[in-house]
Amino acid sequence: MTRINKTSKFAIKGALAALALGLSAQGALAEKVKVGLLLPYSGVYAALGNDIQAGFELGLETFGKEYDFVIANEDTEVKPPQGLAKARKLILQYKVDVMAGIVSSGVLGAVRDLVDGAKVPLIVANAGNDDATGAKCSPYITRMSFSNAQVNRPMGKWLAEQGVKKVFTLAPDYAAGRQMIDAFTASFTAAGGEIVGQEYTPFRKTQDFGPYLAKAKASGAEAVFVFYAGGEAISFVKQYDSFGLKKDIPLYGSGFLTSSLYVNAEGPAAEGVITSLHYVPTLDNPENKAFVEAFKAKTGRLPSEFSAHGYDAARALVEALNTGARGREGIANALRSVSFTGPRGETSIDPATGNIVQPIYVYETVAGENGLTQKVLASLPVEADPANGCAMPAPK
Ligand code: BEZ
């Protein structure tokens, strides 16, 4: 594997020359595949981007030994116009065979038309934007992470079944926040629950959640349900506790809130928070045990859902190549039929939408021997997302 170091002009120049000559650092024996990684290496989701990259590289090392991957990284920050410019650079300048990554639903929304028009396969390794596998689906977009609705829809029903009937919701004001809360709200109210208040906080700009927490407190809610991730999740969970709400109104959310990537930065404030997600490092299956051990050996820390997305995105690429698929069109087509048993359990791509089908777990953050850990409370039924307006020809 050849890495184009995002910070080194010399490395970029050298790798670009290698790309142009059709050469690679490993020589001519292994087959060369040019991969563009579009990730945030700065901004509120920088840690997520780095974790996805660590998982992706481990996945290529584990499953893709026969291929010589040349990786070009580009920093999307958390800004849709920046993401679009960087995607264009990977496609036109680096001439990549395939792109992977994208953390923010906003960035995914911005690059969708470019990817579809340029016919370049994109393996989404985080962004949950429902439209990308719904009304704005594309035969060139395959999602190996989750959709915003998929993670939150089952939680609405589950929470109502636990007897919680009045909920206040909060999320950042951008596509992911709105879609996650919409999905939770639809299933929670269908199961008899009531939303007693709902607020959206300015994305990447809110440092003081106090005014929103005051509204939650005054709302008469029995519970608060939120989506926050990365740096915003750490601030929110700590402020929820220090505001004194946690002891009176239990906190629930989508599982990014208490990701294993940063839960120990949240500290005791995160203890007892219950959330839903498609991956936690404590899942008890052999594929996950192997992944956790290999990730720990490589990085010295536990994996998170973000590293699992990277790892599975790399495996999906290798599985597509192993079918004999080559070139942008061939890889895009083969990605739509990928399925394997991985760290999250049975995972497959729904060829009708390009979205992943996978189990969803409810977990509680609890104190463990080495800090906070995840106790799985329930495994919710595997459900493919509805097509939501997606109409694509079947894969060839
Ligand atoms: C999103 O924007 O889709 C997203 C970002 C971080 C975590 C989960 C979803």
Side-chain angles (χ1 to χ4, degrees):
M1 177 167 48
T2 308
R3 271 184 217 98
I4 299 178
N5 184 336
K6 61 186 186 293
T7 56
S8 158
K9 286 205 176 92
F10 176 78
I12 289 172
K13 255 170 60 193
L16 278 174
L19 292 182
L21 290 169
L23 299 173
S24 78
Q26 287 177 359
L29 285 181
E31 218 177 321
K32 182 162 62 67
V33 182
K34 293 182 267 178
V35 183
L37 274 187
L38 269 176
L39 289 168
Y41 299 106
S42 51
V44 282
Y45 290 158
L48 286 60
N50 284 310
D51 214 42
I52 291 170
Q53 176 158 342
F56 190 79
E57 291 185 358
L58 177 62
L60 294 184
E61 286 157 20
T62 308
F63 301 107
K65 292 192 177 69
E66 308 90 281
Y67 305 97
D68 176 13
F69 293 99
V70 181
I71 313 278
N73 322 59
E74 287 294 335
D75 184 3
T76 59
E77 303 177 31
V78 189
K79 297 180 180 157
Q82 170 92 353
L84 180 59
K86 293 304 178 75
R88 201 171 274 132
K89 182 173 176 187
L90 289 174
I91 294 170
L92 299 176
Q93 192 178 331
Y94 292 8
K95 298 195 172 19
V96 295
D97 298 308
V98 54
M99 296 195 295
I102 306 195
V103 164
S104 155
S105 282
V107 173
L108 180 54
V111 306
R112 185 268 168 207
D113 286 353
L114 172 71
V115 165
D116 186 66
K119 301 188 189 317
V120 179
L122 167 66
I123 309 173
V124 179
N126 190 72
N129 194 326
D130 292 327
D131 296 341
T133 49
K136 298 277 276 174
C137 69
S138 162
Y140 302 95
I141 297 179
T142 304
R143 181 152 42 204
M144 287 307 296
S145 47
F146 60 91
S147 72
N148 291 330
Q150 184 180 55
V151 169
N152 295 282
R153 188 192 312 115
M155 187 63 171
K157 183 164 178 276
W158 184 84
L159 197 56
E161 284 168 0
Q162 308 311 302
V164 177
K165 295 296 178 204
K166 287 177 189 242
V167 165
F168 189 96
T169 67
L170 271 168
D173 190 7
Y174 81 109
R178 292 201 170 253
Q179 292 176 357
M180 297 215 195
I181 296 300
D182 283 354
F184 170 81
T185 299
S187 65
F188 182 63
T189 53
E194 185 192 348
I195 302 295
V196 295
Q198 189 163 86
E199 289 286 331
Y200 290 96
T201 54
F203 182 40
R204 299 190 290 119
K205 296 192 182 89
T206 307
Q207 282 174 5
D208 177 11
F209 291 97
Y212 304 97
L213 298 177
K215 285 187 186 171
K217 189 174 182 179
S219 69
E222 295 162 42
V224 170
F225 181 90
V226 306
F227 160 68
Y228 286 104
E232 289 197 330
I234 299 172
S235 305
F236 182 85
V237 168
K238 285 184 156 178
Q239 289 183 34
Y240 196 83
D241 189 26
S242 61
F243 201 82
L245 275 191
K246 195 177 137 202
K247 59 181 177 6
D248 297 327
I249 310 182
L251 178 59
Y252 296 85
S254 58
F256 310 102
L257 185 67
T258 44
S259 172
S260 54
L261 182 60
Y262 38 76
V263 71
N264 283 307
E266 296 171 348
E271 221 178 302
V273 176
I274 295 178
T275 59
S276 59
L277 204 58
H278 46 286
Y279 176 79
V280 286
T282 50
L283 290 180
D284 188 11
N285 68 62
E287 291 77 15
N288 186 43
K289 289 201 168 103
F291 172 52
V292 169
E293 282 316 307
F295 193 84
K296 266 169 53 185
K298 186 176 164 70
T299 64
R301 62 177 198 274
L302 280 173
S304 71
E305 65 277 25
F306 306 110
S307 26
H309 303 159
Y311 184 74
D312 286 348
R315 179 163 179 188
L317 172 58
V318 171
E319 302 249 343
L321 294 169
N322 287 349
T323 66
R326 294 295 178 270
R328 291 173 171 178
E329 196 67 36
I331 294 172
N333 189 57
L335 280 168
R336 290 177 63 195
S337 306
V338 160
S339 83
F340 53 79
T341 303
R344 325 175 201 188
E346 292 287 320
T347 44
S348 61
I349 295 300
D350 178 357
T353 62
N355 199 30
I356 192 166
V357 183
Q358 60 188 340
I360 300 294
Y361 303 96
V362 180
Y363 76 92
E364 178 176 359
T365 298
V366 296
E369 277 171 26
N370 301 309
L372 292 166
T373 185
Q374 302 77 29
K375 179 177 170 194
V376 175
L377 303 179
S379 173
L380 304 179
V382 178
E383 267 179 23
D385 269 6
N388 286 331
C390 171
M392 293 194 287
K396 288 161 217 143

PDB file of all heavy atoms in Angstrom, residues 45 48 103-106 126-129 146 148 174 176 180 227 229 256 306, ligand 1:
ATOM      1  N   TYR A  45     -15.194  16.958  13.287  1.00  0.00           N
ATOM      2  CA  TYR A  45     -15.213  15.524  13.003  1.00  0.00           C
ATOM      3  C   TYR A  45     -13.826  14.968  12.643  1.00  0.00           C
ATOM      4  O   TYR A  45     -13.723  13.880  12.074  1.00  0.00           O
ATOM      5  CB  TYR A  45     -16.212  15.221  11.884  1.00  0.00           C
ATOM      6  CG  TYR A  45     -17.683  15.401  12.259  1.00  0.00           C
ATOM      7  CD1 TYR A  45     -18.648  15.599  11.280  1.00  0.00           C
ATOM      8  CD2 TYR A  45     -18.108  15.338  13.582  1.00  0.00           C
ATOM      9  CE1 TYR A  45     -19.993  15.755  11.610  1.00  0.00           C
ATOM     10  CE2 TYR A  45     -19.451  15.503  13.926  1.00  0.00           C
ATOM     11  CZ  TYR A  45     -20.388  15.705  12.941  1.00  0.00           C
ATOM     12  OH  TYR A  45     -21.719  15.850  13.272  1.00  0.00           O
ATOM     13  N   LEU A  48     -12.985  11.520  13.908  1.00  0.00           N
ATOM     14  CA  LEU A  48     -13.752  10.481  13.220  1.00  0.00           C
ATOM     15  C   LEU A  48     -13.049  10.115  11.910  1.00  0.00           C
ATOM     16  O   LEU A  48     -12.921   8.938  11.545  1.00  0.00           O
ATOM     17  CB  LEU A  48     -15.174  10.975  12.911  1.00  0.00           C
ATOM     18  CG  LEU A  48     -16.170  11.084  14.064  1.00  0.00           C
ATOM     19  CD1 LEU A  48     -15.724  12.035  15.158  1.00  0.00           C
ATOM     20  CD2 LEU A  48     -17.548  11.496  13.565  1.00  0.00           C
ATOM     21  N   VAL A 103     -17.685  11.903   6.013  1.00  0.00           N
ATOM     22  CA  VAL A 103     -18.253  11.790   7.360  1.00  0.00           C
ATOM     23  C   VAL A 103     -19.575  12.543   7.494  1.00  0.00           C
ATOM     24  O   VAL A 103     -20.516  12.050   8.094  1.00  0.00           O
ATOM     25  CB  VAL A 103     -17.223  12.269   8.415  1.00  0.00           C
ATOM     26  CG1 VAL A 103     -17.880  12.541   9.758  1.00  0.00           C
ATOM     27  CG2 VAL A 103     -16.132  11.208   8.582  1.00  0.00           C
ATOM     28  N   SER A 104     -19.648  13.736   6.905  1.00  0.00           N
ATOM     29  CA  SER A 104     -20.824  14.573   7.159  1.00  0.00           C
ATOM     30  C   SER A 104     -21.897  14.373   6.089  1.00  0.00           C
ATOM     31  O   SER A 104     -21.603  14.345   4.886  1.00  0.00           O
ATOM     32  CB  SER A 104     -20.386  16.034   7.191  1.00  0.00           C
ATOM     33  OG  SER A 104     -21.462  16.874   6.853  1.00  0.00           O
ATOM     34  N   SER A 105     -23.149  14.279   6.529  1.00  0.00           N
ATOM     35  CA  SER A 105     -24.279  14.181   5.594  1.00  0.00           C
ATOM     36  C   SER A 105     -24.303  15.386   4.652  1.00  0.00           C
ATOM     37  O   SER A 105     -24.710  15.264   3.495  1.00  0.00           O
ATOM     38  CB  SER A 105     -25.601  14.135   6.369  1.00  0.00           C
ATOM     39  OG  SER A 105     -25.810  12.859   6.909  1.00  0.00           O
ATOM     40  N   GLY A 106     -23.897  16.553   5.144  1.00  0.00           N
ATOM     41  CA  GLY A 106     -23.881  17.750   4.300  1.00  0.00           C
ATOM     42  C   GLY A 106     -22.878  17.602   3.171  1.00  0.00           C
ATOM     43  O   GLY A 106     -23.147  17.972   2.013  1.00  0.00           O
ATOM     44  N   ASN A 126     -19.128   6.744   6.340  1.00  0.00           N
ATOM     45  CA  ASN A 126     -19.826   7.280   7.513  1.00  0.00           C
ATOM     46  C   ASN A 126     -21.149   7.950   7.134  1.00  0.00           C
ATOM     47  O   ASN A 126     -22.208   7.442   7.468  1.00  0.00           O
ATOM     48  CB  ASN A 126     -18.979   8.265   8.317  1.00  0.00           C
ATOM     49  CG  ASN A 126     -19.654   8.585   9.647  1.00  0.00           C
ATOM     50  OD1 ASN A 126     -19.694   7.749  10.541  1.00  0.00           O
ATOM     51  ND2 ASN A 126     -20.263   9.760   9.778  1.00  0.00           N
ATOM     52  N   ALA A 127     -21.098   9.091   6.474  1.00  0.00           N
ATOM     53  CA  ALA A 127     -22.270   9.973   6.327  1.00  0.00           C
ATOM     54  C   ALA A 127     -23.579   9.214   6.128  1.00  0.00           C
ATOM     55  O   ALA A 127     -23.712   8.418   5.204  1.00  0.00           O
ATOM     56  CB  ALA A 127     -22.051  10.925   5.157  1.00  0.00           C
ATOM     57  N   GLY A 128     -24.567   9.515   6.992  1.00  0.00           N
ATOM     58  CA  GLY A 128     -25.820   8.750   6.986  1.00  0.00           C
ATOM     59  C   GLY A 128     -26.920   9.347   6.125  1.00  0.00           C
ATOM     60  O   GLY A 128     -28.034   8.811   6.121  1.00  0.00           O
ATOM     61  N   ASN A 129     -26.644  10.423   5.412  1.00  0.00           N
ATOM     62  CA  ASN A 129     -27.664  11.144   4.621  1.00  0.00           C
ATOM     63  C   ASN A 129     -28.639  10.173   3.934  1.00  0.00           C
ATOM     64  O   ASN A 129     -28.266   9.454   2.994  1.00  0.00           O
ATOM     65  CB  ASN A 129     -26.949  12.024   3.583  1.00  0.00           C
ATOM     66  CG  ASN A 129     -27.883  13.044   2.972  1.00  0.00           C
ATOM     67  OD1 ASN A 129     -29.066  12.768   2.799  1.00  0.00           O
ATOM     68  ND2 ASN A 129     -27.345  14.210   2.643  1.00  0.00           N
ATOM     69  N   PHE A 146     -24.135   3.311   7.580  1.00  0.00           N
ATOM     70  CA  PHE A 146     -25.491   3.285   8.152  1.00  0.00           C
ATOM     71  C   PHE A 146     -26.256   4.402   7.452  1.00  0.00           C
ATOM     72  O   PHE A 146     -25.649   5.267   6.810  1.00  0.00           O
ATOM     73  CB  PHE A 146     -25.439   3.596   9.677  1.00  0.00           C
ATOM     74  CG  PHE A 146     -24.844   4.963   9.931  1.00  0.00           C
ATOM     75  CD1 PHE A 146     -25.651   6.095  10.018  1.00  0.00           C
ATOM     76  CD2 PHE A 146     -23.472   5.138   9.986  1.00  0.00           C
ATOM     77  CE1 PHE A 146     -25.093   7.361  10.184  1.00  0.00           C
ATOM     78  CE2 PHE A 146     -22.907   6.404  10.143  1.00  0.00           C
ATOM     79  CZ  PHE A 146     -23.730   7.511  10.244  1.00  0.00           C
ATOM     80  N   ASN A 148     -29.101   7.524   8.377  1.00  0.00           N
ATOM     81  CA  ASN A 148     -29.555   8.237   9.583  1.00  0.00           C
ATOM     82  C   ASN A 148     -30.849   7.634  10.120  1.00  0.00           C
ATOM     83  O   ASN A 148     -31.029   7.491  11.330  1.00  0.00           O
ATOM     84  CB  ASN A 148     -29.732   9.725   9.269  1.00  0.00           C
ATOM     85  CG  ASN A 148     -28.381  10.384   9.009  1.00  0.00           C
ATOM     86  OD1 ASN A 148     -27.368   9.962   9.561  1.00  0.00           O
ATOM     87  ND2 ASN A 148     -28.359  11.402   8.166  1.00  0.00           N
ATOM     88  N   TYR A 174     -28.405  20.435  10.888  1.00  0.00           N
ATOM     89  CA  TYR A 174     -27.976  20.128   9.517  1.00  0.00           C
ATOM     90  C   TYR A 174     -28.600  18.783   9.149  1.00  0.00           C
ATOM     91  O   TYR A 174     -29.297  18.180   9.975  1.00  0.00           O
ATOM     92  CB  TYR A 174     -26.451  20.176   9.367  1.00  0.00           C
ATOM     93  CG  TYR A 174     -25.667  18.950   9.810  1.00  0.00           C
ATOM     94  CD1 TYR A 174     -25.057  18.124   8.867  1.00  0.00           C
ATOM     95  CD2 TYR A 174     -25.521  18.624  11.147  1.00  0.00           C
ATOM     96  CE1 TYR A 174     -24.325  17.008   9.254  1.00  0.00           C
ATOM     97  CE2 TYR A 174     -24.786  17.514  11.535  1.00  0.00           C
ATOM     98  CZ  TYR A 174     -24.193  16.709  10.587  1.00  0.00           C
ATOM     99  OH  TYR A 174     -23.470  15.611  10.971  1.00  0.00           O
ATOM    100  N   ALA A 176     -27.979  15.625   8.922  1.00  0.00           N
ATOM    101  CA  ALA A 176     -27.932  14.430   9.775  1.00  0.00           C
ATOM    102  C   ALA A 176     -28.800  14.610  11.010  1.00  0.00           C
ATOM    103  O   ALA A 176     -29.557  13.708  11.392  1.00  0.00           O
ATOM    104  CB  ALA A 176     -26.502  14.111  10.171  1.00  0.00           C
ATOM    105  N   MET A 180     -32.043  12.225  11.612  1.00  0.00           N
ATOM    106  CA  MET A 180     -32.024  11.283  12.748  1.00  0.00           C
ATOM    107  C   MET A 180     -33.225  11.538  13.658  1.00  0.00           C
ATOM    108  O   MET A 180     -33.903  10.602  14.093  1.00  0.00           O
ATOM    109  CB  MET A 180     -30.711  11.416  13.524  1.00  0.00           C
ATOM    110  CG  MET A 180     -29.513  11.040  12.681  1.00  0.00           C
ATOM    111  SD  MET A 180     -28.225  10.229  13.597  1.00  0.00           S
ATOM    112  CE  MET A 180     -26.856  10.355  12.447  1.00  0.00           C
ATOM    113  N   PHE A 227     -29.078  13.552  18.932  1.00  0.00           N
ATOM    114  CA  PHE A 227     -27.944  13.148  18.099  1.00  0.00           C
ATOM    115  C   PHE A 227     -26.873  14.227  18.230  1.00  0.00           C
ATOM    116  O   PHE A 227     -27.135  15.403  17.935  1.00  0.00           O
ATOM    117  CB  PHE A 227     -28.332  13.026  16.618  1.00  0.00           C
ATOM    118  CG  PHE A 227     -27.118  13.088  15.701  1.00  0.00           C
ATOM    119  CD1 PHE A 227     -26.197  12.057  15.699  1.00  0.00           C
ATOM    120  CD2 PHE A 227     -26.876  14.183  14.891  1.00  0.00           C
ATOM    121  CE1 PHE A 227     -25.054  12.116  14.897  1.00  0.00           C
ATOM    122  CE2 PHE A 227     -25.740  14.258  14.084  1.00  0.00           C
ATOM    123  CZ  PHE A 227     -24.831  13.209  14.087  1.00  0.00           C
ATOM    124  N   ALA A 229     -22.309  14.201  17.670  1.00  0.00           N
ATOM    125  CA  ALA A 229     -21.134  13.354  17.408  1.00  0.00           C
ATOM    126  C   ALA A 229     -19.869  14.197  17.542  1.00  0.00           C
ATOM    127  O   ALA A 229     -19.919  15.429  17.471  1.00  0.00           O
ATOM    128  CB  ALA A 229     -21.227  12.743  16.006  1.00  0.00           C
ATOM    129  N   PHE A 256     -23.701   7.485  18.416  1.00  0.00           N
ATOM    130  CA  PHE A 256     -22.531   8.336  18.188  1.00  0.00           C
ATOM    131  C   PHE A 256     -22.288   9.249  19.390  1.00  0.00           C
ATOM    132  O   PHE A 256     -21.203   9.765  19.587  1.00  0.00           O
ATOM    133  CB  PHE A 256     -22.733   9.201  16.934  1.00  0.00           C
ATOM    134  CG  PHE A 256     -23.175   8.408  15.752  1.00  0.00           C
ATOM    135  CD1 PHE A 256     -24.500   8.392  15.344  1.00  0.00           C
ATOM    136  CD2 PHE A 256     -22.264   7.630  15.055  1.00  0.00           C
ATOM    137  CE1 PHE A 256     -24.920   7.635  14.270  1.00  0.00           C
ATOM    138  CE2 PHE A 256     -22.680   6.862  13.983  1.00  0.00           C
ATOM    139  CZ  PHE A 256     -24.004   6.869  13.591  1.00  0.00           C
ATOM    140  N   PHE A 306     -16.589   4.117  13.851  1.00  0.00           N
ATOM    141  CA  PHE A 306     -15.966   4.795  12.713  1.00  0.00           C
ATOM    142  C   PHE A 306     -14.864   3.926  12.103  1.00  0.00           C
ATOM    143  O   PHE A 306     -14.764   3.788  10.889  1.00  0.00           O
ATOM    144  CB  PHE A 306     -15.435   6.171  13.145  1.00  0.00           C
ATOM    145  CG  PHE A 306     -16.500   7.008  13.805  1.00  0.00           C
ATOM    146  CD1 PHE A 306     -16.452   7.291  15.170  1.00  0.00           C
ATOM    147  CD2 PHE A 306     -17.591   7.462  13.087  1.00  0.00           C
ATOM    148  CE1 PHE A 306     -17.457   8.024  15.790  1.00  0.00           C
ATOM    149  CE2 PHE A 306     -18.607   8.194  13.693  1.00  0.00           C
ATOM    150  CZ  PHE A 306     -18.537   8.484  15.049  1.00  0.00           C
TER     151      PHE A 306
HETATM  152  C1  BEZ B   1     -23.447  12.657   9.451  1.00  0.00           C
HETATM  153  O1  BEZ B   1     -23.285  13.858   9.210  1.00  0.00           O
HETATM  154  O2  BEZ B   1     -24.095  11.918   8.685  1.00  0.00           O
HETATM  155  C2  BEZ B   1     -22.836  12.057  10.688  1.00  0.00           C
HETATM  156  C3  BEZ B   1     -21.731  12.643  11.256  1.00  0.00           C
HETATM  157  C4  BEZ B   1     -21.168  12.067  12.378  1.00  0.00           C
HETATM  158  C5  BEZ B   1     -21.712  10.922  12.934  1.00  0.00           C
HETATM  159  C6  BEZ B   1     -22.830  10.358  12.358  1.00  0.00           C
HETATM  160  C7  BEZ B   1     -23.400  10.924  11.226  1.00  0.00           C
END
